[in-house]
């Protein structure tokens, strides 16, 4: 009797350890779905909408998972609130696509103390303790910017002054910081590149507004370096209204980031000169990493998605139609 009681006790202790969070592997209890809380930036761009779709479709419909998404409407405070709610709900894992890099130390420490693992997607966080998250899945944004400026330096070789209008996305977001850095590094070396910045917050509406105001003061623009497609569409509308031509044979060369279907179509039609791809379809990759983690396998700290650049000669209609975003 005594013996069987102690066996039972050991068993109970084992079970409670298995259920404990904070170890390397978090397992959902038998039969229960593994609950993921996802704090998404917002719905500011076509890229973002494609990313939300990829994440949602990957987990929804799989009975092993329960996927709860909160849209932060581009406000970091909303993300903090969502993450704290996920802690209270006792989710098994939290995925965060951070609006900006700074400010995450406190809330990520709270998640860590609650024993909940975190995956950072798309942009990055800047925290002094990298153990606060398992992995960061997304793009090499500096690499994207570098491809763009390398192309531009070929295009503008031998020209005297090149006036570059730089439309920036949400300040402090990794996509903004690194795409900006790549341009600034190149401009510092080029000698003939003159840059001017405008703030477009990654949205079409904001870009249209600031571009319209800017074009009322000058038309002296040789290149538009726009940190996402939606801002590019806003700028193109402002150019049209101001009677400024762009694209192949036009006054302004356009470089845009994301390579959504609509931008690729403009590129094929000669209205955009360079599309730098930014791949939002990493839902399946995130799932694969979660599965590895649940099996106790090692996962890399940084995972980059593959990306290319496109000019009109790389494109045809069949290719564009086959794209998912
Ligand atoms: O380029 C832009 C979006 O962080 C990669 O955010 C993302 C960027 C993307 O709103 O369209």
């Amino acid at each position: 009797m005594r013996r069987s009681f102690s066996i039972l006790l050991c068993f109970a202790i084992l079970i409670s350890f298995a259920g404990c969070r904070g170890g390397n592997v978090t397992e959902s209890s038998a039969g229960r779905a593994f609950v993921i809380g996802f704090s998404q930036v917002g719905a500011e761009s076509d890229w973002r909408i494609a990313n939300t779709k990829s994440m949602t479709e990957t987990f929804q419909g799989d009975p092993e998972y329960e996927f709860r998404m909160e849209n932060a409407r581009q406000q970091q405070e909303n993300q903090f609130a969502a993450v704290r709610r996920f802690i209270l709900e006792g989710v098994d894992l939290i995925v965060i696509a951070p609006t900006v890099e700074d400010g995450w130390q406190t809330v990520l420490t709270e998640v860590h103390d609650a024993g909940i693992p975190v995956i950072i997607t798309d942009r990055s966080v800047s925290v002094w303790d990298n153990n606060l998250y398992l992995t960061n899945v997304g793009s090499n944004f500096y690499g994207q910017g570098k491809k763009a400026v390398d192309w531009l330096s070929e295009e503008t070789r031998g020209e005297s002054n090149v006036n570059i209008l730089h439309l920036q996305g949400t300040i402090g977001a990794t996509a903004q910081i690194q795409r900006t850095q790549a341009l600034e590094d190149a401009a510092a070396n080029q000698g003939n590149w003159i840059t001017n910045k405008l703030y477009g917050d990654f949205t079409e509406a904001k870009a249209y507004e600031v571009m319209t105001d800017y074009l009322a003061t000058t038309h002296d623009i040789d290149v538009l370096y726009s940190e996402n497609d939606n801002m590019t569409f806003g700028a193109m509308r402002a150019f049209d209204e101001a009677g400024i031509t762009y694209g192949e044979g036009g006054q302004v060369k356009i470089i845009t980031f994301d390579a959504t279907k609509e931008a690729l179509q403009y590129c094929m039609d000669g209205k955009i000169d360079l599309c730098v791809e930014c791949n939002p379809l990493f839902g399946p990759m995130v799932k694969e990493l979660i599965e590895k983690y649940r099996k106790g396998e090692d996962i890399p700290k940084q995972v980059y998605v593959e990306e290319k650049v496109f000019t009109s000669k790389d494109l045809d209609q069949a290719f564009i139609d086959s794209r998912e975003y």
Side-chain angles (χ1 to χ4, degrees):
M1 177 69 189
R2 200 101 167 241
R3 204 165 154 247
S4 57
F5 176 73
S6 46
I7 290 172
L8 257 180
L9 191 69
C10 280
F11 199 58
I13 290 172
L14 272 179
I15 289 179
S16 68
F17 269 117
C20 243
R21 295 220 185 89
N24 255 342
V25 181
T26 307
E27 281 193 21
S28 55
S29 45
R32 182 173 72 78
F34 187 86
V35 182
I36 298 174
F38 175 40
S39 171
Q40 174 63 298
V41 168
E44 74 283 4
S45 64
D46 296 341
W47 185 98
R48 185 68 52 199
I49 289 159
N51 179 245
T52 296
K53 187 163 176 266
S54 169
M55 292 291 286
T56 314
E57 285 179 355
T58 299
F59 293 102
Q60 279 175 2
D62 182 340
E64 271 214 37
Y65 289 93
E66 186 186 321
F67 190 70
R68 302 178 188 164
M69 191 189 96
E70 296 267 355
N71 175 340
R73 299 186 306 283
Q74 283 193 283
Q75 299 303 316
Q76 192 182 32
E77 291 70 38
N78 293 339
Q79 298 206 284
F80 293 162
V83 168
R84 289 185 171 124
R85 238 179 344 263
F86 291 145
I87 298 177
L88 286 177
E89 290 168 8
V91 300
D92 294 301
L93 185 141
I94 297 177
V95 179
I96 303 171
T99 47
V100 291
E101 289 188 357
D102 286 342
W104 287 98
Q105 188 69 37
T106 307
V107 76
L108 286 187
T109 305
E110 290 170 30
V111 184
H112 188 258
D113 291 349
I116 302 174
V118 170
I119 291 182
I120 306 293
T121 59
D122 167 20
R123 304 170 183 173
S124 311
V125 291
S126 149
V127 284
W128 49 264
D129 180 3
N130 280 353
N131 290 322
L132 292 177
Y133 59 89
L134 295 174
T135 182
N136 190 169
V137 183
S139 297
N140 177 347
F141 297 113
Y142 191 86
Q144 293 175 354
K146 180 80 174 61
K147 288 177 201 159
V149 296
D150 285 350
W151 176 85
L152 188 60
S153 93
E154 283 297 313
E155 290 288 308
T156 57
R157 190 178 299 280
E159 283 178 27
S160 47
N161 283 343
V162 183
N163 284 314
I164 303 172
L165 185 61
H166 175 188
L167 259 180
Q168 294 187 292
T170 308
I171 302 299
T174 315
Q176 174 277 313
I177 295 172
Q178 296 190 7
R179 289 168 182 166
T180 292
Q181 194 60 50
L183 176 61
E184 288 180 352
D185 287 349
N189 285 326
Q190 289 286 337
N192 59 340
W193 289 8
I194 302 150
T195 58
N196 274 305
K197 287 191 274 233
L198 289 179
Y199 177 58
D201 203 19
F202 284 132
T203 69
E204 190 164 335
K206 183 74 188 163
Y208 170 72
E209 179 194 319
V210 296
M211 283 297 295
T212 303
D213 288 349
Y214 187 78
L215 296 177
T217 65
T218 178
H219 282 192
D220 209 359
I221 305 170
D222 302 311
V223 177
L224 175 74
Y225 180 95
S226 165
E227 289 179 359
N228 87 341
D229 285 351
N230 289 84
M231 292 194 295
T232 304
F233 303 149
M236 286 162 68
R237 191 143 54 91
F239 283 145
D240 287 340
E241 287 173 13
I244 295 176
T245 57
Y246 48 86
E248 285 164 23
Q251 177 192 326
V252 183
K253 287 189 187 11
I254 297 187
I255 298 174
T256 187
F257 291 83
D258 285 350
T260 57
K261 262 189 174 175
E262 196 177 349
L264 290 175
Q265 192 72 51
Y266 280 125
C267 185
M268 194 181 86
D269 297 345
K271 292 291 186 189
I272 288 178
D273 297 271
L274 185 75
C275 285
V276 182
E277 187 179 29
C278 181
N279 185 352
L281 308 177
F282 48 69
M285 198 180 275
V286 171
K287 188 176 183 196
E288 206 178 291
L289 290 163
I290 292 177
E291 276 164 9
K292 281 199 165 146
Y293 167 76
R294 291 177 70 195
K295 285 189 214 139
E297 291 171 22
D298 283 344
I299 55 176
K301 201 76 202 178
Q302 174 77 58
V303 180
Y304 287 134
V305 289
E306 283 209 22
E307 293 162 339
K308 310 192 188 70
V309 294
F310 302 97
T311 61
S312 61
K313 52 181 194 317
D314 305 309
L315 297 167
D316 60 39
Q317 198 60 49
F319 172 76
I320 296 175
D321 292 345
S322 72
R323 300 271 292 180
E324 273 184 60
Y325 72 101

